[in-house]
Amino acid sequence: MITGGGPLEGAVRISGAKNSALPILAATLLTEESVNVGNMPHLNDITTMIELMACMGVEVVVGEKMRVEVRAGEVTAHTAPYELVKTMRASILVLGPVLARYGTARVSFPGGCAIGSRPVDLHLKALEAMGAEIEVEEGYINATCDKRLKGAHVYFDMVTVGGTENILMAATLAEGTTVIENAAREPEIVDLANCLKAMGANIEGAGTDTIVVEGVEALHGCDYNVMPDRIEAGTYLVAAAATGGKVVVKDVDPSSLDAVLHKLREAGAELVVSETTIELDMKGRRPKAVDIITAPYPAFPTDMQAQFSAMNAVADGVGHVTETIFENRLVQAHEMNRMGASISVEGNRAVIKGVPRLKAAPVMASDLRASAALVIAGLVADGDTLVERIYHIDRGYECIEEKMAGLGANIRRIPG
Ligand code: EPZ
């Protein structure tokens, strides 16, 4: 429940990046030695990934402050079961590492989700190019390879973050050289590559659209800290912009947020950026509407689209939002219209005519970022907004009530 109020003010500390922690946890399967991963966010998706690894017989010890130690010796199962995969599609990220390390992997086919069908055809095609035999039966992907995967020249028809991560991990143990063309360039790919290099992998070009990997016989353990969550940071910044507030986000890497910071300046925010902090000050002004077109990094991230749509809903002017990555990621617009927003959706474009203030209403979250957007909408609505299906938000935002309350928001969890 969020009671609409005034501007957000104060400081918030950013947690480790979910979308970096998940592939890095999967990468620990590539070695029998222990890997210590720090700065892990305490999120449901992380817990699910740890559960998945434990059910394969991997030894996972969660220490204080979510420091996780993984030792993937001989596993008892090479399977990622349906009941876990259906709750977290990112389980598909164990396919590459398990296949590369053990020569066989069985992963439940990840279903679609609210934002789109989200196929994994590009992952499978690339693994076949590396010599994997893949068949799908009874909803499971069964992959095998005799002895070792072979390095290959992989070209992704479209940019895929998960596909790039799966192939990058598999290639580290493949025989020979793998070239990944049209690779995703997200900072989380660079973070994964840095962790793999600390484990002894031979990788060039992570963060560009061409990554070259020289396979090695084996990887060794390492200690690694996950990068800060750029999307969590962006979410608090745009919430401050929507409320005309003044907020400092700490423990963040500003260089991973260029496109987002550019749009916040366009909305009228004054930003002061240091090595690990970003201070945003709206000087009490209402945000100006901005146009957004989502695209692969370094362009504007799809994971920030819903949050900016919430800001546009109360901004001065008309904002045009175009979602080019997922086929159904504008659904939160209909919920915001129930709060008095003026958003019209045509295909993958939303035209948002800002209104001065929204009105509280019971609304329903459909995915992680849409639920964050509805929380932001609640902050700028008169009355008490009840956001249902809040479990979505717990997948990607650590302690969101505490962090928002620390910025002056009136937000609480309704049990039941
Ligand atoms: C990752 O998902 C993120 N998840 C998503 O964040 C993020 O929105 C997305 O990348 C895009 O940046 C994690 O990192 C765990 P893709 P992923 O493969 O890897 C199509 C969040 O809110 N595609 O880059 O699944 C796909 O349908 C989540 O934290 C194929 O067609 O995204 C989509 O339209 C949501 N075939 C587009 O590519 C494939 O084989 C981009 O998907 C693979 C993808």
Side-chain angles (χ1 to χ4, degrees), residues 2-4 338-340 358-363 377-378 380-386:
I2 305 107
T3 305
R338 298 183 57 247
M339 299 174 71
L358 298 179
K359 285 186 286 304
V363 288
V380 292
D382 291 333
D384 292 345
T385 297
L386 179 64

Side-chain angles (χ1 to χ4, degrees), residues 271-292:
L271 299 177
V272 176
V273 174
S274 82
E275 194 78 6
T276 60
T277 62
I278 301 170
E279 177 178 329
L280 177 143
D281 189 353
M282 291 298 286
K283 304 279 186 200
R285 290 186 298 259
R286 182 183 176 194
K288 291 199 278 287
V290 295
D291 294 339
I292 301 283

Side-chain angles (χ1 to χ4, degrees), residues 18-19 118-122 160-162 303 325-326 329 369:
K18 164 178 86 81
N19 290 352
R118 304 189 69 186
V120 291
D121 54 313
L122 301 178
T160 160
V161 171
D303 290 350
I325 304 288
F326 291 110
R329 205 171 197 181
R369 307 302 172 184

Side-chain angles (χ1 to χ4, degrees), residues 23-86:
I24 284 175
L25 279 173
T28 63
L29 298 170
L30 288 163
T31 177
E32 64 182 4
E33 297 183 14
S34 78
V35 181
N36 289 291
V37 188
N39 197 34
M40 292 285 283
H42 194 175
L43 299 169
N44 291 1
D45 272 11
I46 301 299
T47 308
T48 304
M49 181 61 93
I50 290 173
E51 253 175 74
L52 168 57
M53 294 165 70
C55 89
M56 291 166 58
V58 173
E59 187 191 317
V60 186
V61 178
V62 181
E64 85 293 344
K65 289 207 301 230
M66 277 294 282
R67 186 162 186 74
V68 174
E69 180 186 358
V70 182
R71 177 189 286 274
E74 282 319 305
V75 292
T76 51
H78 305 94
T79 297
Y82 169 70
E83 51 279 355
L84 282 175
V85 176
K86 77 179 179 201

Side-chain angles (χ1 to χ4, degrees), residues 55-385:
C55 89
M56 291 166 58
V58 173
E59 187 191 317
V60 186
V61 178
V62 181
E64 85 293 344
K65 289 207 301 230
M66 277 294 282
R67 186 162 186 74
V68 174
E69 180 186 358
V70 182
R71 177 189 286 274
E74 282 319 305
V75 292
T76 51
H78 305 94
T79 297
Y82 169 70
E83 51 279 355
L84 282 175
V85 176
K86 77 179 179 201
T87 65
M88 187 190 62
R89 307 184 60 266
S91 309
I92 190 68
L93 292 174
V94 303
L95 177 62
V98 172
L99 179 60
R101 172 90 187 282
Y102 301 104
T104 176
R106 187 165 176 271
V107 178
S108 168
F109 218 96
C113 70
I115 62 179
S117 59
R118 304 189 69 186
V120 291
D121 54 313
L122 301 178
H123 300 232
L124 304 184
K125 215 169 97 184
L127 287 171
E128 283 173 334
M130 296 176 75
E133 299 269 320
I134 292 181
E135 57 188 51
V136 179
E137 56 180 15
E138 291 163 25
Y140 275 82
I141 298 164
N142 296 299
T144 55
C145 70
D146 55 346
K147 290 197 291 303
R148 270 174 95 183
L149 288 172
K150 308 261 179 307
H153 195 129
V154 168
Y155 178 82
F156 280 122
D157 296 341
M158 61 193 296
V159 174
T160 160
V161 171
T164 302
E165 290 165 346
N166 243 332
I167 299 312
L168 174 59
M169 290 188 280
T172 59
L173 293 180
E175 186 178 348
T177 307
T178 298
V179 178
I180 307 173
E181 294 227 43
N182 201 22
R185 300 169 53 189
E186 271 68 5
E188 292 76 20
I189 305 273
V190 177
D191 208 28
L192 171 62
N194 289 339
C195 180
L196 289 167
K197 287 182 198 173
M199 294 166 71
N202 188 333
I203 301 169
E204 293 297 329
T208 74
D209 60 3
T210 304
I211 303 176
V212 181
V213 185
E214 291 298 335
V216 293
E217 289 286 326
L219 295 181
H220 52 72
C222 77
D223 287 359
Y224 194 78
N225 286 327
V226 167
M227 67 176 274
D229 193 319
R230 62 193 170 102
I231 304 300
E232 185 197 17
T235 302
Y236 287 106
L237 289 169
V238 75
T243 59
K246 179 178 179 181
V247 160
V248 183
V249 293
K250 299 182 166 183
D251 292 351
V252 66
D253 172 7
S255 69
S256 63
L257 278 162
D258 282 352
V260 170
L261 299 185
H262 176 75
K263 284 297 165 184
L264 287 168
R265 287 195 177 95
E266 263 187 42
E270 288 187 15
L271 299 177
V272 176
V273 174
S274 82
E275 194 78 6
T276 60
T277 62
I278 301 170
E279 177 178 329
L280 177 143
D281 189 353
M282 291 298 286
K283 304 279 186 200
R285 290 186 298 259
R286 182 183 176 194
K288 291 199 278 287
V290 295
D291 294 339
I292 301 283
I293 302 177
T294 67
Y297 194 87
F300 188 91
T302 173
D303 290 350
M304 285 299 303
Q305 177 263 111
Q307 301 91 311
F308 268 80
S309 297
M311 183 197 79
N312 271 344
V314 292
D316 180 10
V318 179
H320 298 84
V321 175
T322 307
E323 170 60 52
T324 71
I325 304 288
F326 291 110
E327 62 266 34
N328 188 27
R329 205 171 197 181
L330 294 168
V331 285
Q332 70 282 345
H334 311 302
E335 295 299 296
M336 290 182 203
N337 283 342
R338 298 183 57 247
M339 299 174 71
S342 172
I343 306 175
S344 66
V345 178
E346 288 276 315
N348 71 343
R349 274 168 56 85
V351 179
I352 306 176
K353 195 176 169 317
V355 295
R357 195 90 178 145
L358 298 179
K359 285 186 286 304
V363 288
M364 188 155 56
S366 55
D367 79 278
L368 165 57
R369 307 302 172 184
S371 42
L374 292 172
V375 169
I376 293 171
L379 294 173
V380 292
D382 291 333
D384 292 345
T385 297

